[in-house]
Each structure stands twice: as C-alpha cells, then as structure tokens.
Amino acid sequence: MLALELKDVNYSYFTKEKETKALQDINLSVKKGQFISIVGPSGCGKSTLLSIICGLIEPTSGEVIVNGRPVKDEMRNIGYMLQHDHLFEWRSVYGNVMLGLDIHRKKDTQNLATHYLSQYGLLDFKNSRPSELSGGMRQRVALIRTLMMEPDILLLDEPFSSLSKELKKEMQELLWSLYEKMQITVVYVTHNSEDIRHTDTRVAVMNDG
C-alpha cells in the first residue's frame, strides 16, 4: 500500500507583476515503511514540497494523497520536523516534548515521553530549559516532540544542517536506528548528498522545482 502519492503537483507564487513557479509537475509515490531522500540545491522547492505534503499549503493544482485519502483528512498522521528546533524557552524539556499532545488535549497514556527521553539520554534533563542543552540535545528533543504524535509519515526538512559534523553524524545514526525499529515512512530533505551517502535509501532529485 502507498503511504504517499503526489499527482501532477504544481505550486506558484503570485505577485502583481508575475507568476513564479516553485513546483512543476511533481509526481511521486512512496510505499508504506519506505525511507526516501529528496536531494536538491537550496531554493529548488524542497521545503515548499514538504509544506504541501503535510497540508500546510495547498498546491496550485494537483493532488496529495496520504494513506489513500486527501491530505486534509490525514494531517494528524504526519509529523514534520523543521530545520530549526523551535523549542519554547518558557517550557521545560518535558513540556516541549508534550506540546503536541497538550494542543490536542491528549494524555500520554503509554508514557511515551518518559520512554523516549530515557532512550535518547534526556531523562535527567526533563526539567531543564532548552537554553541549557547542547545543539544535539535540542534536536533530540525536537525529534521526540514530533514522534510523540505517533505519525505514520515523518517529514524531515534538513533537521541536522546547523549541527557540527560529529553531531550531525550522531543524529543521522539515531534517525536510521529509529527508522529500522519503527519502520514508519520517512521523507528526508537535504541539499547535501553526503548526508545520505552511507544510508540505504531511495533518492529523488529536485532541481528548479
């Protein structure tokens, strides 16, 4: 079964003077449990594509199908991790992890927060503020926050690009280990092909939309 289908997706920005085509005739099928990397230079439309996949913006034309249904009906089953962690300083690590559940007024009935914080070495920092964490730790918190919603599809928009080479490698290994354990569908966007050099992943290349 397909987790994701993009059918003739186009997206344009409009101003009074002109139309700028950001995405042109995008067709893509991703099977359930597949890890796909979308590689392309900065400004080629990768982030716009992810925003369309998760339903944040609507395509100018074309369809986005998630789990066999229109994306608007499946938005809660999509997790989206951005390039920057966007942690809230006024919430503790635990509070940031629980943000999605708090918004949707859901309880952590399976105690997932404690499980993930322990698994990724953050349990001792659950009451800390984001400013007290290293860059790698902040990204782990952001990843856990995304996983807490138990998404079917995980979208990653260059989430480790701001980290040092060593931390990036650590986070990439953590992500791959997570994928192998959970077998969820992952769409990983990057401008650097080195990020996926040592992973067994399907690759799609974008250029000029």
Side-chain angles (χ1 to χ4, degrees):
M1 184 176 177
L2 294 177
L4 172 66
E5 291 180 87
L6 304 178
K7 299 181 179 180
D8 299 318
V9 169
N10 292 270
Y11 186 77
S12 295
Y13 299 99
F14 294 94
T15 65
K16 291 182 179 179
E17 292 77 23
K18 64 177 181 178
E19 172 188 0
T20 301
K21 293 184 177 180
L23 298 175
Q24 302 177 58
D25 303 321
I26 303 293
N27 289 277
L28 182 68
S29 296
V30 183
K31 295 179 181 178
K32 279 189 176 294
Q34 190 171 47
F35 192 122
I36 182 169
S37 298
I38 300 177
V39 183
S42 298
C44 75
K46 302 185 303 297
S47 295
T48 301
L49 182 62
L50 287 190
S51 294
I52 287 175
I53 290 174
C54 72
L56 287 178
I57 58 178
E58 293 186 12
T60 306
S61 63
E63 291 183 277
V64 180
I65 307 298
V66 175
N67 296 328
R69 305 174 66 191
V71 64
K72 65 179 181 179
D73 298 329
E74 289 289 314
M75 289 176 65
R76 289 191 179 184
N77 292 319
I78 301 173
Y80 191 5
M81 184 175 173
L82 302 171
Q83 182 174 348
H84 302 290
D85 57 61
H86 295 292
L87 300 181
F88 291 106
E89 185 60 31
W90 47 273
R91 294 180 75 115
S92 65
V93 166
Y94 182 81
N96 273 281
V97 163
M98 291 293 293
L99 183 63
L101 294 186
D102 289 347
I103 291 173
H104 293 289
R105 297 182 180 180
K106 292 183 179 180
K107 294 182 178 180
D108 183 11
T109 55
Q110 297 176 310
N111 209 15
L112 282 176
T114 299
H115 167 73
Y116 281 131
L117 289 170
S118 177
Q119 184 175 0
Y120 298 130
L122 292 167
L123 189 58
D124 290 342
F125 299 89
K126 64 180 293 185
N127 296 317
S128 300
R129 299 293 173 179
S131 59
E132 300 176 90
L133 306 181
S134 67
M137 293 167 75
R138 291 177 66 104
Q139 289 300 88
R140 274 182 274 164
V141 173
L143 180 59
I144 293 171
R145 179 180 61 191
T146 305
L147 295 175
M148 284 295 295
M149 298 304 293
E150 299 184 275
D152 296 329
I153 300 176
L154 181 61
L155 307 180
L156 302 164
D157 190 1
E158 305 205 51
F160 314 135
S161 61
S162 63
L163 302 180
S164 67
K165 186 176 181 179
E166 293 75 17
L167 281 176
K168 180 188 285 189
K169 182 179 179 182
E170 176 186 321
M171 288 300 298
Q172 287 168 340
E173 290 175 351
L174 186 153
L175 172 63
W176 192 254
S177 174
L178 171 74
Y179 166 71
E180 290 184 325
K181 287 179 181 178
M182 299 179 68
Q183 286 297 299
I184 62 174
T185 306
V186 178
V187 181
Y188 182 96
V189 157
T190 181
H191 70 276
N192 187 354
S193 59
E194 287 294 313
D195 288 353
I196 57 170
R197 184 177 178 185
H198 301 295
T199 60
D200 181 18
T201 173
R202 178 184 170 199
V203 178
V205 179
M206 281 191 72
N207 192 30
D208 295 330

